Amino acid sequence: MKRSEINDILAEGDAFMRQHGVILPPFAYWQPEQLRGDNAALIRDRGLGWDITDYGEGRFHELGLFLFTTRNGAVEDLGAGKGMLYAEKIMISRDKQLSPMHRHNIKAEDIINRGGGDLVLELWSPDASGNIDREAKVTVPSDGVMVTLDPGGLLRLKPGQSVTLMPGIWHAFWAEQGDCLIGEVSTVNDDRTDNVFEAPIARFSDIDEDVSPSHLLVSDY
């Protein structure tokens, strides 16, 4: 992706969030040199901040996602079983923009439609090896109610609705009937090691530095 395109996406995403009453923390607007300073060490270490990905495919409007990590614990705390064991993200899926099929080994997550269009998830159960089970039904909690779908079934979340995805559940998602503001509340998030994609794609984008960054991405850290 070109840095100029990323800068535009950041500005558009910030405006979309504000339309839905979401105001980001102060460090979201720090200048790049501030985020490189000693005062931002925890922000960098925990991967907080802006995150734009086209999954290395160069087709952001078709295959991509906007994310901002507002808080995140430490992976080592999970082993200890105490401490900051949670994370929170704000995401934007544009209309018909696919976030591709993947699962997590460790992370459990609530995916919440915070406003805008519908959020549609395609869900699969894992087999004994962790691969997609093409024959098994999939059962997930959705706002306190267990929902069972056929293999590869689609779960449509209207604004205000949510689903809980436990580790191993395969999922892809996209927005319909307009761009969708998404909340994610999860256990500690480690995007570098805990994303398993069905297709051989990248989690982070290669960037063509055609202009200076308006804000650093977590991948710039």
Side-chain angles (χ1 to χ4, degrees):
M1 298 181 73
K2 290 183 179 295
R3 183 68 73 171
S4 55
E5 179 186 9
I6 291 172
N7 288 348
D8 290 342
I9 292 167
L10 293 177
E12 293 164 0
D14 189 31
F16 183 76
M17 288 186 289
R18 288 176 180 274
Q19 289 173 9
H20 290 274
V22 175
I23 307 299
L24 296 177
F27 71 83
Y29 306 105
W30 286 7
Q31 295 300 307
E33 56 269 22
Q34 291 177 277
L35 283 171
R36 297 186 180 104
D38 293 342
N39 196 41
L42 184 63
I43 293 170
R44 296 193 302 270
D45 291 345
R46 298 291 175 90
L48 307 182
W50 306 94
D51 184 2
I52 307 299
T53 183
D54 65 354
Y55 301 98
E57 297 294 303
R59 299 179 288 120
F60 176 77
H61 292 281
E62 301 171 31
L63 184 71
L65 190 62
F66 171 107
L67 312 93
F68 188 96
T69 302
T70 57
R71 66 201 81 246
N72 193 17
V75 174
E76 52 268 26
D77 286 345
L78 290 175
K82 59 182 179 180
M84 188 177 181
L85 307 180
Y86 56 89
E88 180 190 38
K89 289 181 179 180
I90 302 163
M91 304 183 289
I92 299 171
S93 182
R94 297 190 176 188
D95 193 44
K96 305 296 193 301
Q97 182 187 43
L98 176 66
S99 185
M101 188 63 63
H102 64 288
R103 63 171 172 82
H104 306 292
N105 292 318
I106 297 173
K107 183 171 75 170
E109 56 187 340
D110 277 12
I111 303 295
I112 310 145
N113 185 337
R114 293 294 192 193
D118 293 350
L119 181 62
V120 182
L121 298 97
E122 178 185 344
L123 301 174
W124 299 84
S125 289
D127 62 18
S129 299
N131 298 315
I132 292 175
D133 190 327
R134 303 289 177 181
E135 299 181 359
K137 291 180 179 291
V138 57
T139 299
V140 292
S142 178
D143 297 314
V145 177
M146 301 305 293
V147 176
T148 298
L149 302 169
D150 289 332
L154 301 183
L155 179 65
R156 182 179 296 270
L157 301 179
K158 296 287 187 180
Q161 294 183 306
S162 68
V163 63
T164 300
L165 302 178
M166 299 304 291
I169 296 294
W170 288 91
H171 54 287
F173 58 85
W174 60 91
E176 292 185 359
Q177 301 184 38
D179 298 349
C180 183
L181 182 67
I182 305 166
E184 178 186 299
V185 178
S186 73
T187 46
V188 172
N189 179 78
D190 184 359
D191 276 324
R192 297 191 180 278
T193 65
D194 197 34
N195 292 290
V196 180
F197 291 98
E198 179 188 19
I201 57 176
R203 169 58 180 85
F204 297 102
S205 304
D206 293 325
I207 300 177
D208 176 2
E209 302 288 355
D210 61 327
V211 299
S212 297
S214 58
H215 304 289
L216 294 184
L217 304 180
V218 295
S219 57
D220 293 320
Y221 302 161

